[in-house]
Amino acid sequence: MSHPDHRMNLRPLETPTGVSAVAGPHDIGASPGDKKSKSKSTRGKKKSMFETYMSKEDVSEGLKRGTLIQGILRINPKKFHEAFIPSPDGDRDIFIDGVVARNRALNGDLVVVKLLPEEQWKVVKPESNDKETEGTYESDLPEELCGHHLPQQSLKSCNDSPDVIIEAQFDGSDSEDGHGITQNVLVDGVKKLSVCVSEKGKEDGDAPVTKDETTCISQDTRALPEKSLQRSAKVVYILEKKHSRAATGFLKLLADKNSELFRKYALFSPSDHRVPRIYVPLKDCPHDFVARPKDYANTLFICRIVDWKEDCNFALGQLAKSLGQAGEIEPETEGILTEYGVDFSDFSSEVLECLPQGLPWTIPPEEFSKRRDLRKDCIFTIDPSTARDLDDALSCKPLADGSFEVGVHIADVSYFVPEGSDLDKVAAERATSVYLVQKVVPMLPRLLCEELCSLNPMSDKLTFSVIWTLTPGGKILDEWFGRTVIRSCTKLSYEHAQSMIESPTEKIPATELPPISPEHSSEEVHQAVLNLHGIAKRLRQQRFADGALRLDQLKLAFTLDHETGLPQGCHIYEYRDSNKLVEEFMLLANMAVAHKIHRAFPEQALLRRHPPPQTRMLNDLMEFCDQMGLPVDFSSAGALNKSLTQTFGDDKYSLARKEVLTNMCSRPMQMALYFCSGLLQDPAQFRHYALNVPLYTHFTSPIRRFADVLVHRLLAAALGYRERLDLAPDTLQKQADHCNDRRMASKRVQELSTGLFFAVLVKESGPLESEAMVMGVLNQAFDVLVLRYGVQKRIYCNVSALGEPGGGRGSPSRPTLQGCRL
């Protein structure tokens, strides 16, 4: 899909006062690559730090022959000189050692690597406790694994969560990927704001980064057991620059005042240590920067890499804008969005012109003849109390024979988004709404999200429904799909629905409920919620009996000060029966639609698969559990779920151990991915590991996910409402890949937003004292899980280094977690 560079939004690139667009260094005289004066370089070609990339032809030939391997580059955020790509066979990751071997690729890029000779492979010392051979994984649990939507301010908390359900990780996505790992959930965000000893070595501009002592081998590797070697490689080509090439960070003067470079360039030091240092032309910098560099020591800037030459260990960049003070929420948030290529600009007039112009809009009379009219039915929404984009509603009507007619009614977003329109293009490009702690960056204009499509109570709305006849035990007797019109009778919050579930026999006072339309009574709504709850419990029991997995991790939610927007406190979001009720029916609808579209279009269905865990990491974890005497069965998703739910007692210590183990089990999990059914030959690969079902898709959140809009169009075509989609399977796959990329970026952004708010909370209210449990011991540090907040933190034994102000490349006044007394 389109290049992240084109997505970059810097509300038009405002440059600081007196800044012009960057000129290449050769327009200015010496290039940043010229370490010595030009006379030297005329004697011969300058020595390059990096290898020239291979030609496209050689790369495609090498990939075909299997002499080259491609994969997404993952740079260890805790040891930035270590990088990895996944092994195509699911075995241990392939190791890329150091900046030179990484060859100017950035985190997230799709790269091609060539394996190094065996004598240069990494030795993983068996006696070493530093079990970081895979590098640090960021959290990638699918929403289906973890519990559905985010608890945060304007997010849904549960809706389609289930792929693998991590019952409580603060991830606003569908927990189905089973992926995750809360490993770095918060950590990456907080760590970005905190002192990290291991990165101190990078402070000195050109100092070579010291390698980990376990990295290279000189002795005869054949004498070593196979298990202790990790294949190592170097990058030879970048297939797709998925990293945005933008970074937030700080400006500094170059160290050598006498060099020619000093007169032309400043040094930009990114907050994310995985991004290289960047030379920025001084004429791009604020006009008084050279005279008063200290005035800018705590100013956060955004810089974009425009070039990175073979002969230069630093990249060349263009300063985009000054964000404001480091450590403050809005500048930091804008920096996070920009780094991850999130388009947060206002929608253009061309896009807004695609929306109905005459407001208030009413449903055209001819539309009623094309739809099933459900406006008289008792239909309602259940959402977080703050939600404004309501895209799903439920109904439950008792039938004479004791069964129920249960409906899931989803906003008919595709009605308002014409294919090929400017609105369609921007939604496809954004691909997902991005939920931050304090706000949402929407995929669609607010008028659509909050008014036209949102299933607000007491107004007629266009929907796409799945309606079943279900027994009280959740057995499906009949199933219907179709376009409908509904009129929701009330907007329940999760708290309202929960109080109904907890008071099955008492009438809930009207003062404790939202307004209900006069056609329906609070008793009727109450009974419908109780009936749905009863069926959902049985559906859920059956799902887990059939082998589904859920990893319950902690989700942090914040209370914010209305005036300042600063966090006042945080709490673990409680995932209750009302959340589970909604989740169960969203899963049922997603699975039903997956089967329907796949039957109709076996080559063209947009589905969602969840691959099984990474073999090698799973084996390492099994070995660890054996050593610890923990009886955990990893043979299937269901067996693992059973182990986690039955192995532990309910005393404080057991619950803490369960929390740590759940966290560790999420590490080998992979992401759930959208894919086009025509491009995967083996139907076994269609499976969703965490949900343990053969087919799954996303249908229930079209206001916030573009994949669901595509699925709505496929379902409409399958039902004969419209012509077949004019999309070749490989075009649909490209869109699926783009949705996967943007979904992952939005997840990272969400985690970093949570990390930022947590760091600010600790800074403002700290020190906070909390119990933690050790998760892993390394050579000079140990990892702990702070139980009350679900935060992971690395504690360095070399404490004195932790006390250094602003260690690493950050600025001393940015918030840190130093206040946590663990």
Side-chain angles (χ1 to χ4, degrees), residues 488-667:
S488 167
C489 67
T490 188
K491 176 190 173 183
L492 298 179
S493 68
Y494 282 117
E495 290 73 23
H496 295 135
Q498 189 64 30
S499 64
M500 291 177 173
I501 290 167
E502 288 171 6
S503 311
T505 54
E506 292 164 45
K507 178 173 162 51
I508 296 179
T511 52
E512 292 176 24
L513 288 175
I516 294 174
S517 73
E519 295 83 2
H520 302 281
S521 64
S522 63
E523 288 82 0
E524 188 183 0
V525 174
H526 192 163
Q527 195 51 53
V529 169
L530 291 174
N531 292 338
L532 286 169
H533 171 60
I535 298 167
K537 271 205 310 196
R538 300 299 293 275
L539 285 170
R540 191 176 177 84
Q541 269 170 358
Q542 194 55 51
R543 269 197 320 108
F544 287 110
D546 289 345
L549 166 66
R550 185 171 188 109
L551 296 177
D552 294 346
Q553 289 176 314
L554 304 175
K555 291 184 192 183
L556 263 189
F558 296 87
T559 46
L560 304 181
D561 182 297
H562 288 303
E563 302 284 304
T564 63
L566 290 171
Q568 290 176 312
C570 67
H571 57 279
I572 293 297
Y573 181 73
E574 205 183 338
Y575 192 79
R576 299 190 292 179
D577 285 340
S578 55
N579 302 80
K580 293 173 185 175
L581 179 163
V582 177
E583 173 179 274
E584 227 35 65
F585 291 106
M586 297 306 125
L587 279 178
L588 199 63
N590 285 334
M591 291 188 278
V593 170
H595 284 273
K596 184 77 178 170
I597 63 173
H598 185 247
R599 272 197 304 274
F601 308 117
E603 300 295 307
Q604 204 188 7
L606 181 69
L607 301 174
R608 187 158 174 80
R609 66 192 180 92
H610 182 221
Q614 285 205 348
T615 335
R616 180 59 72 109
M617 289 182 78
L618 194 64
N619 292 341
D620 288 351
L621 185 58
M622 283 163 67
E623 207 175 290
F624 171 79
C625 289
D626 284 348
Q627 287 169 1
M628 299 295 287
L630 293 168
V632 183
D633 182 350
F634 290 97
S635 59
S636 68
L640 176 55
N641 196 73
K642 212 167 168 187
S643 296
L644 289 173
T645 48
Q646 295 177 3
T647 301
F648 297 90
D650 55 7
D651 60 286
K652 195 167 118 177
Y653 180 68
S654 299
L655 290 173
R657 285 208 310 172
K658 181 182 177 181
E659 196 59 56
V660 169
L661 191 61
T662 300
N663 200 297
M664 295 176 84
C665 287
S666 60
R667 291 182 192 182

Side-chain angles (χ1 to χ4, degrees), residues 148-159 169-173 382-392 433-442 493-495 555-558 573 579 704 746 750-751 753-754:
H148 220 75
H149 297 130
L150 260 187
Q152 277 147 323
Q153 282 53 24
S154 40
L155 320 196
K156 267 216 158 179
S157 269
C158 132
N159 245 215
Q169 168 161 281
F170 47 93
D171 123 49
S173 49
I382 305 176
D383 287 278
S385 53
T386 51
R388 292 202 296 261
D389 48 351
L390 316 180
D391 47 18
D392 52 87
S433 292
V434 178
Y435 291 90
L436 303 161
V437 171
Q438 77 279 33
K439 61 185 173 192
V440 181
V441 179
S493 68
Y494 282 117
E495 290 73 23
K555 291 184 192 183
L556 263 189
F558 296 87
Y573 181 73
N579 302 80
R704 68 183 179 95
S746 87
Q750 210 171 283
E751 289 164 3
S753 175
T754 303

